């Protein structure tokens, strides 16, 4: 399918940093995924060190795609819920470009994961698709007829005395010592809330929870169909590379 176009994709998360070379024409990883724990604190200098190591590891030159766990408005981080505050209000695209010499294209992690699912996964369909990444936080990517509506931040909807991701993310599940089966009812309640707000046609569950979908999927008794992300935790690196490919092409 198409000519080979290889791009390096990063998925920077609150818990892990992953990278792989991706053929953006068929959505396939062409290398093993490199994975390291996100340094703590996850400040700009420590994360940059890892990014530089990974670029060197892949001996890569060219445009780079990067999913980042924050609101990314025109390359600038506008929140820092699960990452160090030193990123806040930083133009991450410019920062990485200056430090690596490579053109970086940065977007919200759930938005890019969603791009991969919508272009190459089972979420390729008309109507409203909501992709949720359930991991350290809860990220969301919203797509209408395949087109992304960026930075929706559905994990940050207010709930009880806090926000939903503090109650139903994977880290909340672990904190509360819940099995996937015991966690499912509160997650279903969250999905029902989103159902009422947005009337989606499909929910896609990505992030760390996607590979455990067999444990909780059938317990989500809601009207909207819910499926696991086809690329599971690879969706982030894949979508990041695709995003870079599209931005780079648009720039000409
Ligand atoms: C952030 C989102 C991010 C999600 C998953 C949330 O805390 O606000 O921007 O997509 O975590 O990493």
């Amino acid at each position: 399918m198409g000519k080979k176009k290889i791009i390096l994709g990063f998925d920077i998360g609150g818990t892990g940093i992953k990278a792989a070379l991706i053929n953006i024409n068929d959505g396939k990883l062409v290398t093993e995924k490199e994975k390291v724990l996100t340094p703590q604190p996850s400040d700009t200098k420590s994360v940059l060190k890892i990014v530089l190591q990974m670029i060197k590891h892949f001996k890569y030159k060219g445009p780079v795609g990067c999913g980042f766990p924050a609101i990314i408005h025109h390359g600038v981080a506008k929140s820092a819920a699960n990452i160090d505050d030193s990123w806040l209000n930083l133009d991450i695209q410019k920062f990485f470009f200056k430090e690596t010499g490579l053109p970086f294209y940065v977007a919200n992690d759930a938005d890019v994961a969603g791009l991969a699912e919508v272009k190459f996964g089972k979420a390729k369909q008309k109507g409203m698709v909501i992709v949720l990444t359930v991991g350290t936080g809860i990220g969301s990517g919203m797509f209408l007829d395949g087109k992304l509506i960026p930075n929706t931040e559905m994990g940050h909807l207010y709930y009880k005395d806090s926000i939903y991701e503090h109650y139903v993310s994977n880290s909340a599940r672990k904190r509360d010592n819940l099995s996937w089966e015991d966690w499912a009812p509160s997650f279903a309640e969250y999905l029902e809330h989103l159902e009422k707000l947005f009337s989606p046609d499909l929910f896609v569950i990505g992030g760390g929870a996607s590979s455990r979908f067999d444990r909780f999927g059938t317990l989500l008794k809601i009207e909207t169909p819910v499926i696991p992300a086809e690329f599971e935790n690879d969706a982030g690196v894949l979508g990041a590379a695709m995003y870079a490919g599209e931005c780079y092409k648009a720039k000409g």
Side-chain angles (χ1 to χ4, degrees):
M1 196 210 279
K3 223 171 88 227
K4 249 195 181 174
K5 170 109 181 95
I6 309 295
I7 289 189
L8 179 59
F10 275 95
D11 182 4
I12 298 181
T15 307
I17 299 180
K18 307 173 201 105
L21 291 179
I22 313 287
N23 178 359
I24 60 162
N25 287 338
D26 64 7
K28 295 226 161 53
L29 271 71
V30 295
T31 59
E32 288 280 303
K33 202 167 51 171
E34 274 289 297
K35 237 173 120 175
V36 294
L37 287 177
T38 307
Q40 297 303 336
S42 50
D43 56 283
T44 51
K45 220 172 134 200
S46 318
V47 171
L48 172 66
K49 204 169 142 197
I50 290 171
V51 166
L52 286 167
Q53 277 166 6
M54 287 190 169
I55 291 172
K56 199 165 158 206
H57 167 86
F58 287 108
K59 299 186 178 66
Y60 183 79
K61 281 200 177 72
V64 182
C66 178
F68 199 83
I71 300 171
I72 304 292
H73 200 227
H74 306 304
V76 179
K78 288 297 183 187
S79 67
N82 291 314
I83 197 92
D84 189 74
D85 277 352
S86 54
W87 294 95
L88 202 54
N89 292 317
L90 181 73
D91 189 324
I92 306 185
Q93 288 190 166
K94 276 199 188 142
F95 169 73
F96 279 140
F97 177 50
K98 187 168 153 264
E99 299 292 340
T100 65
L102 302 178
F104 258 75
Y105 297 95
V106 182
N108 174 263
D109 54 355
D111 283 352
V112 296
L115 280 178
E117 292 297 326
V118 165
K119 174 129 193 236
F120 293 114
K122 288 190 216 101
K124 191 174 178 181
Q125 67 165 57
K126 282 217 171 292
M128 166 83 74
V129 176
I130 294 180
V131 181
L132 295 171
T133 59
V134 182
T136 318
I138 292 192
S140 56
M142 187 189 236
F143 295 82
L144 184 59
D145 295 337
K147 189 152 173 40
L148 172 68
I149 298 152
N151 291 311
T152 45
E153 293 293 333
M154 293 179 203
H156 283 237
L157 285 168
Y158 287 114
Y159 181 58
K160 295 188 180 169
D161 57 349
S162 182
I163 55 174
Y164 268 103
E165 79 173 8
H166 293 160
Y167 285 93
V168 291
S169 62
N170 194 18
S171 46
R173 184 191 67 82
K174 289 184 191 155
R175 178 200 62 210
D176 298 341
N177 275 319
L178 294 176
S179 65
W180 289 102
E181 291 80 0
D182 290 340
W183 164 87
S186 37
F187 186 62
E189 204 185 289
Y190 169 56
L191 294 182
E192 268 186 329
H193 186 67
L194 296 180
E195 210 172 35
K196 289 205 177 75
L197 290 176
F198 303 109
S199 303
D201 296 293
L202 178 70
F203 282 115
V204 181
I205 310 302
S210 52
S211 55
R212 299 282 186 262
F213 194 81
D214 55 330
R215 303 259 311 262
F216 64 86
T218 54
L219 304 172
L220 306 173
K221 303 213 182 306
I222 62 165
E223 255 181 58
T224 313
V226 189
I227 60 169
E230 184 154 337
F231 302 110
E232 298 188 349
N233 240 345
D234 286 351
V237 284
L238 222 159
M242 283 167 50
Y243 178 71
E246 277 173 25
C247 296
Y248 199 63
K249 199 168 73 192
K251 238 181 79 193

